Amino acid sequence: MSRIAYFGPEGTFTEQAARELARGAELIPVETIPNAFSVVRKGEADAACVPVENSVEGAVPATLDGLAEQEPLVAVAEALLPVHFSVLTRPGITDAGDIRTVASHPHALAQVRLWAETHLPNARPVATSSTAAAAVAVRAGEFDAAVTAPVAVRHYPLPVLATEVADVRDARTRFLLVRRPDHPLPAPTGADRTSIVAAAANRTGALAELLTELAGRGINLTRLDARPAKGNFGEYRFFIDFEGHVAEPRIGDALAALRRRCRNVRFLGSHPRADGARATIEPFAGNDDFVDAAEWVEAVRRGEQA
Ligand SMILES: O=C(O)C(=O)C[C@]1(C(=O)O)C=C[C@@H](O)C=C1
């Protein structure tokens, strides 16, 4: 049976995503995102499930940095979960006005800030490593309330002050299943996402050149994030997600062009999209167009131009 490490402890949103992606695998909770990557790199787990982006709060920095640094890992699947929260309290609290501390993962705290201003007027937000870690801390008496995934109360029985809490309705978080790159990639489906990270040179137009390689091939971006390269101040790594699969001629052509532009580009995976959205194909940029164009050049070289 394969083993999947996930950003835990039990009762996180990530555990739910891992269950959706696991297909009978053994699930191993790990307390931080860097540790989830590290057990996969060391071969102690076959894959790791981690959050990558939230529709309200954006990218999860620990995931982006963990994919850009150390030995390469590739994403082979993704899950998209609706996100709203339950607020659990320390036993004995009868009045929300008595809640002085409210703990959770920073992404979760940011998604309930307006609700907390109204309903927990005396509470100070405190960051914990995950939503479930906040529930553990409330059980241990460290904080008065925890903002958690709805499933958390099954693992950490605590009084429930509120459910379905979210400042923004229909929020979603996307999760990745990543593994070492020494396995066949998932097959293309026509509704795939490819991810790369590139440390563009610090000079005029460097990022625009990379994006132009994609735009010129009719490739639609689905995300662009920047994180500090952690060397010189002002130097960034760019995380670029786009429609398509590395096995397609048009995407292979684009990746080769990116590599020519930037030696420091890392492939982070091609896998089916959780929302099933099919790639937009521009009239000049279908896979057949790339194959036909390459065949035409070969014919020209042979002196057989039709
Ligand atoms: O702490 C958790 O439960 C997580 O799975 C992490 C995480 C995140 O990183 O965004 C996942 C979904 C929610 O947006 C809040 C927290």
Side-chain angles (χ1 to χ4, degrees):
M1 191 198 321
S2 72
R3 291 158 57 84
I4 298 180
Y6 69 90
F7 174 43
E10 287 180 316
T12 56
F13 285 100
T14 312
E15 182 192 2
Q16 283 171 261
R19 291 199 178 282
E20 203 176 300
L21 296 168
R23 299 199 184 106
E26 180 192 352
L27 296 184
I28 309 154
V30 175
E31 289 273 336
T32 67
I33 291 171
N35 283 353
F37 288 141
S38 142
V39 295
V40 176
R41 287 191 171 109
K42 285 194 264 175
E44 292 166 11
D46 300 294
C49 185
V50 292
V52 64
E53 67 172 327
N54 170 263
S55 60
V56 179
E57 271 304 292
V60 179
T63 296
L64 299 195
D65 289 350
L67 291 172
E69 294 162 9
Q70 302 177 39
E71 296 90 68
L73 295 170
V74 290
V76 295
E78 67 175 33
L80 197 58
L81 293 191
V83 172
H84 53 75
F85 301 91
S86 295
V87 178
L88 313 183
T89 65
R90 197 155 51 75
I93 288 194
T94 50
D95 181 350
D98 292 339
I99 294 175
R100 305 276 160 190
T101 47
V102 56
S104 198
H105 186 277
H107 264 54
L109 290 172
Q111 291 177 76
V112 301
R113 190 176 54 80
L114 298 177
W115 180 90
E117 270 172 26
T118 311
H119 296 89
L120 305 177
N122 303 317
R124 171 173 61 87
V126 185
T128 49
S129 62
S130 69
T131 53
V136 173
V138 168
R139 291 229 334 151
E142 290 172 41
F143 307 117
D144 296 333
V147 176
T148 69
V151 295
V153 72
R154 287 192 224 146
H155 300 275
Y156 314 103
L158 285 166
V160 181
L161 176 72
T163 57
E164 310 253 332
V165 175
D167 290 349
V168 179
R169 292 280 136 208
D170 300 326
R172 273 150 205 272
T173 298
R174 191 163 64 89
F175 299 83
L176 298 177
L177 188 69
V178 303
R179 57 187 313 162
R180 295 178 299 281
D182 55 349
H183 286 269
L185 294 171
T189 64
D192 305 292
R193 192 190 314 278
T194 291
S195 306
I196 59 148
V197 55
N202 186 4
R203 61 171 172 75
T204 309
L207 174 61
E209 285 167 10
L210 297 183
L211 298 181
T212 301
E213 295 290 1
L214 297 166
R217 289 171 177 78
I219 295 169
N220 190 27
L221 303 193
T222 57
R223 185 171 69 98
L224 174 64
D225 267 304
R227 290 280 303 152
K230 302 188 184 175
N232 296 326
F233 186 74
E235 286 184 2
Y236 285 88
R237 296 176 181 135
F238 296 98
F239 292 81
I240 310 175
D241 286 2
F242 45 88
E243 293 177 352
H245 192 291
V246 64
E248 295 178 61
R250 64 194 189 95
I251 302 297
D253 197 65
L255 285 176
L258 294 178
R259 166 80 179 176
R260 276 192 287 104
R261 292 270 188 197
C262 174
R263 300 297 289 181
N264 224 333
V265 62
R266 178 181 274 196
F267 172 72
L268 297 179
S270 287
H271 55 77
R273 292 176 63 147
D275 61 9
R278 297 188 70 79
T280 326
I281 306 288
E282 299 294 335
F284 64 93
N287 287 316
D288 290 351
D289 299 311
F290 278 88
V291 171
D292 173 77
E295 284 172 0
W296 177 78
V297 171
E298 283 307 314
V300 168
R301 287 174 180 154
R302 292 192 306 267
E304 293 171 6
Q305 184 183 183

